[in-house]
Amino acid sequence: MSTIVFVHAHPDDEASQSACSMARAVEEGHRVVLVIATNGDHGEPAADLAEGETVVMRRRREAEASQSAIGTHRIVWLGYADSGMTGWAQNEHEDAFMRADVEDVAGRLAEVLREEQADVVIGYDWHGGYGHPDHVQAHRVTKRAAELAGTPRYLEGSMNRDAMARSFAAAVAAGMDVGDWDPTGPMDDGNPMGTPEAELHWACDLRDWVDVKRRALQAHASQTSDVGMILSIPEDAFREQFGWEHYLEPARPVGMVVGWFLDPELVAAVS
């Protein structure tokens, strides 16, 4: 069995992006550790915050509930402030994650990897999926930490841009209201969302674990805009859209493998 460390920028990112992978790994007997870089302080304040309860306190409890649904063995909080989107005033906060020294943060993360004797560490692709400054910083930090700790396998979570474009086109053709969202259009950093299919290494069919992802998302109930939008997607569409999780593994040959990135036979076959 392996120890897999998933590195995410904010509480709730793990639910939307890797909950199915985490749940399957736990079910198979692997040790799964979640590292969350920021404390989610710029998330939506819950309408029912109790006297003395802060946004950070609520979001930590929600993250713990999410991990209870997934089965994660440990959560590590790095404690940085949420940087907000590109150009927001939060970018200038002295504790903003995007402003932290990469070597310092990577060193802290490398200590976790060594302590856990991690076999696999998973961060984000080079532009954090959609350009969020904290996601981009998480990419830099995770990649460097893997180097410092000598972690055997380093992966990057991403989204299949071509699959999203196909789903988007099908929705438009079916007459669905898609608003002004277009997965091939510019995101926060001016780049399209995710990664082209030709550049991905792993396409994991995890639809059998999609109910876990839904429960993990439901745990982040205070985030009514982003999480609420995802949970409003019809069940069948949710299963198809969020039941697949995609990864890059820079050390692997070019070509996307449809299969589980922890399948020993597949890993050996593409080495």
Side-chain angles (χ1 to χ4, degrees), residues 155-252:
L155 280 72
E156 301 172 354
S158 190
M159 293 154 279
N160 186 331
R161 185 184 302 164
D162 296 301
M164 288 190 297
R166 291 191 292 268
S167 296
F168 178 78
V172 171
M176 294 177 61
D177 181 8
V178 296
D180 58 0
W181 185 76
D182 180 353
T184 63
M187 298 295 155
D188 196 51
D189 62 350
N191 293 291
M193 183 174 284
T195 301
E197 195 165 89
E199 297 175 17
L200 293 167
H201 294 94
W202 296 101
C204 304
D205 182 355
L206 299 164
R207 288 174 289 184
D208 288 346
W209 289 268
V210 78
D211 288 343
V212 176
K213 176 171 282 189
R214 185 177 288 277
R215 292 196 299 273
L217 284 163
Q218 289 169 339
H220 294 282
S222 68
Q223 303 308 293
T224 56
S225 295
D226 293 344
V227 172
M229 180 272 292
I230 294 172
L231 290 173
S232 69
I233 296 172
E235 189 170 330
D236 288 347
F238 180 89
R239 182 173 184 272
E240 294 304 315
Q241 184 173 345
F242 287 92
W244 288 83
E245 292 176 355
H246 297 84
Y247 299 95
L248 297 103
E249 187 167 5
R252 299 292 172 188

Side-chain angles (χ1 to χ4, degrees), residues 29-264:
H30 301 286
R31 177 171 172 81
V32 175
V33 175
L34 170 64
V35 176
I36 302 178
T38 73
N39 56 28
D41 52 324
H42 293 309
E44 294 178 71
D48 61 345
L49 282 179
E51 184 176 352
E53 182 184 18
T54 66
V55 171
V56 170
M57 292 166 62
R58 173 62 65 91
R59 299 207 69 189
R60 286 200 175 213
R61 281 203 294 272
E62 289 180 339
E64 289 164 1
S66 171
Q67 297 325 291
S68 179
I70 294 170
T72 310
H73 298 91
R74 179 188 179 193
I75 307 177
V76 178
W77 295 86
L78 297 183
Y80 294 93
D82 186 333
S83 306
M85 303 297 278
T86 300
W88 288 13
Q90 292 95 316
N91 294 176
E92 302 306 316
H93 192 288
E94 62 180 359
D95 293 326
F97 184 46
M98 66 178 286
R99 293 170 59 89
D101 182 81
V102 171
E103 287 295 312
D104 287 347
V105 186
R108 293 180 61 195
L109 178 56
E111 284 301 310
V112 176
L113 299 179
R114 293 189 192 102
E115 179 185 347
E116 289 289 344
Q117 298 181 20
D119 301 287
V120 184
V121 62
I122 302 177
Y124 297 145
D125 65 30
W126 69 273
H127 68 121
Y130 62 101
H132 191 299
D134 286 334
H135 289 234
V136 176
Q137 178 77 324
H139 161 76
R140 299 188 192 106
V141 165
T142 308
K143 184 176 182 180
R144 180 60 178 146
E147 296 169 350
L148 292 172
T151 304
R153 293 182 68 192
Y154 164 73
L155 280 72
E156 301 172 354
S158 190
M159 293 154 279
N160 186 331
R161 185 184 302 164
D162 296 301
M164 288 190 297
R166 291 191 292 268
S167 296
F168 178 78
V172 171
M176 294 177 61
D177 181 8
V178 296
D180 58 0
W181 185 76
D182 180 353
T184 63
M187 298 295 155
D188 196 51
D189 62 350
N191 293 291
M193 183 174 284
T195 301
E197 195 165 89
E199 297 175 17
L200 293 167
H201 294 94
W202 296 101
C204 304
D205 182 355
L206 299 164
R207 288 174 289 184
D208 288 346
W209 289 268
V210 78
D211 288 343
V212 176
K213 176 171 282 189
R214 185 177 288 277
R215 292 196 299 273
L217 284 163
Q218 289 169 339
H220 294 282
S222 68
Q223 303 308 293
T224 56
S225 295
D226 293 344
V227 172
M229 180 272 292
I230 294 172
L231 290 173
S232 69
I233 296 172
E235 189 170 330
D236 288 347
F238 180 89
R239 182 173 184 272
E240 294 304 315
Q241 184 173 345
F242 287 92
W244 288 83
E245 292 176 355
H246 297 84
Y247 299 95
L248 297 103
E249 187 167 5
R252 299 292 172 188
V254 173
M256 187 177 75
V257 175
V258 178
W260 180 223
F261 70 88
L262 293 175
D263 182 329

